[in-house]
Amino acid sequence: MERAARSSLDDAVYRKLRVVLERAVARACPPWLASRKEDVVQGALLRLVKKAERRPVDTLPASYVHKIAYSSLVDEIRYQRRRRLDQTDSLESASLGSERLDPESNAVARDLGRAIKACLHALAQTRNLAVSLYLQGSRVPEIARTAGWSQKQADNAVYRGLADMRRCLSGKGVQP
């Protein structure tokens, strides 16, 4: 990928763009996605190379380059989220780790997982995103940066989303 990017861009421009993209991605990337930073940077570089076919990249405003990095990061977060949901479905059907739990505990754990997933899907989109990131270990400042919200918006989305989750789960008979 890097060779294709370098062939259509001057080396100095390429290096400069790469540094800017690496910084932008590092600033917004949540810790749980740190191992995928390089892939996000590569994706952003490819987008900029495509843009270079129509307009010189060195004339693009810095805000546009940062927006490309951010949108590549959001795409990767969405991809990873879909992938985790798919893995959760396959884990439910395979019931890994069943040798440690008795059949009743396995059934309870599966039911709990299904209830959490159903309640999560029932949330409004912003609350779903906030709660999903929160449950994956992100804190409010990271959620705000990732979603492009103010810290107050992220805090409200997490707080209200978790309250909705509690109500939904207690409606399904699940208590803390």
Side-chain angles (χ1 to χ4, degrees):
M1 275 191 258
E2 288 187 32
R3 286 186 182 149
R6 286 185 179 176
S7 65
S8 63
L9 294 176
D10 179 9
D11 277 346
V13 172
Y14 171 81
R15 282 192 297 275
K16 181 181 172 189
L17 281 174
R18 186 163 185 74
V19 168
V20 170
L21 288 171
E22 285 172 347
R23 286 182 186 155
V25 168
R27 187 172 41 244
C29 189
W32 61 269
L33 196 59
S35 65
R36 304 286 299 173
K37 280 182 193 176
E38 182 61 28
D39 295 329
V40 173
V41 171
Q42 287 292 328
L45 271 171
L46 285 174
R47 289 179 184 192
L48 285 171
V49 167
K50 287 180 184 176
K51 184 70 172 179
E53 294 171 358
R54 290 174 276 162
R55 178 177 174 187
V57 176
D58 52 347
T59 63
L60 293 173
S63 61
Y64 183 81
V65 175
H66 284 273
K67 190 170 187 165
I68 292 282
Y70 181 76
S71 65
S72 294
L73 183 61
V74 169
D75 288 346
E76 183 66 24
I77 288 170
R78 288 178 181 152
Y79 170 76
Q80 292 296 326
R81 184 172 166 219
R82 280 191 310 271
R83 191 168 153 226
R84 283 185 181 163
L85 288 175
D86 290 344
Q87 286 176 348
T88 303
D89 292 340
S90 65
L91 287 177
E92 281 179 3
S93 63
S95 68
L96 295 176
S98 59
E99 64 275 355
R100 288 179 266 161
L101 300 175
D102 60 287
E104 184 178 349
S105 296
N106 279 338
V108 169
R110 264 193 313 275
D111 290 343
L112 177 61
R114 287 185 189 122
I116 290 171
K117 193 184 289 186
C119 289
L120 196 57
H121 286 296
L123 294 176
Q125 185 177 4
T126 55
R127 292 180 186 179
N128 182 319
L129 174 63
V131 171
S132 295
L133 291 172
Y134 183 81
L135 292 176
Q136 292 173 13
S138 295
R139 295 293 161 229
V140 172
E142 295 168 320
I143 294 169
R145 280 193 308 269
T146 302
W149 301 330
S150 70
Q151 189 153 342
K152 187 65 176 170
Q153 286 173 307
D155 191 40
N156 283 338
V158 169
Y159 177 80
R160 291 177 180 166
L162 289 173
D164 291 347
M165 284 287 289
R166 282 187 213 98
R167 273 193 297 280
C168 180
L169 287 171
S170 40
K172 293 182 180 295
V174 177
Q175 297 297 324

